[in-house]
Amino acid sequence: MDLQEKDGMVHAGAFELAGGYGRKSTSRILNGVLEFMQKQGCEIVDMQLSPSGMGDSLMCCTVLVLYK
């Protein structure tokens, strides 16, 4: 995901988690991405997941992050 220059506007970034990560691993990955973005000076406005699959493992999960 390419981060936009800080300009006070809200921007969207999307990425995909694929490959059957469990809930714990997915949380670690998401926290890592959000932490990286915040260290780059981004303010996280919202994050949404669009999961597919069943049970404790996700087959694929698209992540949308809104940030300033």
Side-chain angles (χ1 to χ4, degrees):
M1 171 171 48
D2 291 326
L3 298 177
Q4 298 291 319
E5 295 289 326
K6 286 185 64 177
D7 58 7
M9 304 287 286
V10 175
H11 299 281
F15 64 95
E16 192 170 273
L17 293 175
Y21 294 107
R23 293 181 197 277
K24 188 180 275 188
S25 295
T26 300
S27 292
R28 286 184 186 138
I29 292 167
L30 294 174
N31 281 324
V33 170
L34 295 177
E35 182 179 331
F36 170 79
M37 291 177 71
Q38 291 176 83
K39 285 182 177 179
Q40 300 302 310
C42 297
E43 175 187 343
I44 307 301
V45 175
D46 192 19
M47 181 182 73
Q48 298 178 8
L49 304 174
S50 178
S52 61
M54 297 174 58
D56 193 45
S57 293
L58 300 174
M59 297 302 289
C60 179
C61 184
T62 301
V63 181
L64 173 68
V65 181
L66 300 179
Y67 66 94
K68 288 185 184 183

